[in-house]
Amino acid sequence: MAAIVASCSYGEPQHYEAQQDKDLETILEWYAGYDVLRPLLHRHLHYSDSILVLGPGTSALHEQLYESGYRGITCVDFCSKVLQAWRKRSADAGHSSLKYQHADIVTGLAYEHYPYNAIIDKGTLDCVLCRQTGEEDAQQALTVIHNNLKNPGTFLMVSHSPPDVRLPLLKRVAWESIQVGGRLGCNCVAPAQQFWYCFASVQRLLMGKRSIRT
């Protein structure tokens, strides 16, 4: 029973707010890190893109993207202590254009529709699914993600669950296409764990014509 309670708590901000500051300030990659994801990200991202990173937690993915030349990065997290730690770290490093917003992707984001070229999720939906209302909340989160992508836009999801488990959830939202990837290597806290990735894309009709990204 204790293990079930601990698992469910990953989807709640209280789990992270209760942690020591020093633990939240220590960089840990629970899923595949930037070195593993870099070829995939560079294939789908442009340096001028507006990028949203969901739930950075203790991952430095957004920081490493910034250091690689991507400047339009915003991070959202539902834990204020996580955001406080990252704001301080970014200020100390001189990463002035990195933005941090306090938000829960299930209840929505305080932005206009379609502000982002790309949205990156590295385990956030997995955490949402740990909630008692996980399936419903995850579907709502995917709707929010879809509504915040530009035309066209790309959503990258990295999950510990294989495609046959996550695809039914993804397909509840009207993506233009879904590209399923294979297993990822791991330079993270749980090297024995397997991770999978997929890209879901949005293309909306504008004035009767499809928008094409160049």
Side-chain angles (χ1 to χ4, degrees), residues 82-156:
V82 164
L83 295 173
Q84 181 180 350
W86 273 116
R87 286 188 181 108
K88 181 180 184 304
R89 181 181 172 93
S90 295
D92 291 345
H95 297 164
S96 58
S97 66
L98 272 175
K99 299 177 183 177
Y100 298 97
Q101 299 288 341
H102 185 263
D104 186 328
I105 62 167
V106 175
T107 56
L109 304 175
Y111 311 117
E112 298 178 2
H113 279 194
Y114 320 146
Y116 296 106
N117 301 103
I119 297 178
I120 302 171
D121 165 35
K122 195 159 71 83
T124 299
L125 280 174
D126 287 350
C127 288
V128 170
L129 284 161
C130 290
R131 298 178 179 181
Q132 292 184 353
T133 55
E135 286 283 336
E136 178 183 344
D137 287 355
Q139 182 174 346
Q140 175 60 28
L142 282 168
T143 300
V144 170
I145 290 166
H146 188 277
N147 288 343
N148 277 272
L149 280 169
K150 286 186 177 181
N151 180 24
T154 301
F155 171 52
L156 165 65

Side-chain angles (χ1 to χ4, degrees), residues 14 19 24-25 33-34 36 51 69 75 84 90 94 113 115 124 138-139 149 160 166 182 186 200:
Q14 294 86 349
Q19 294 187 32
L24 296 176
E25 293 168 0
Y34 180 66
V36 171
I51 302 167
C75 297
Q84 181 180 350
S90 295
H113 279 194
T124 299
Q139 182 174 346
L149 280 169
H160 63 65
R166 286 292 177 261
C186 188

Side-chain angles (χ1 to χ4, degrees), residues 31-97:
Y31 282 31
Y34 180 66
D35 289 345
V36 171
L37 294 173
R38 177 168 47 196
L40 302 173
L41 294 169
H42 288 347
R43 192 184 313 156
H44 290 268
L45 300 180
H46 294 180
Y47 286 106
S48 60
D49 278 352
S50 179
I51 302 167
L52 180 65
V53 177
L54 304 178
T58 59
S59 169
L61 175 66
H62 64 285
E63 184 178 67
Q64 291 164 311
L65 279 170
Y66 183 94
E67 291 171 349
S68 295
Y70 298 94
R71 291 293 181 264
I73 300 173
T74 300
C75 297
V76 295
D77 203 295
F78 62 6
C79 176
S80 58
K81 288 176 70 172
V82 164
L83 295 173
Q84 181 180 350
W86 273 116
R87 286 188 181 108
K88 181 180 184 304
R89 181 181 172 93
S90 295
D92 291 345
H95 297 164
S96 58
S97 66

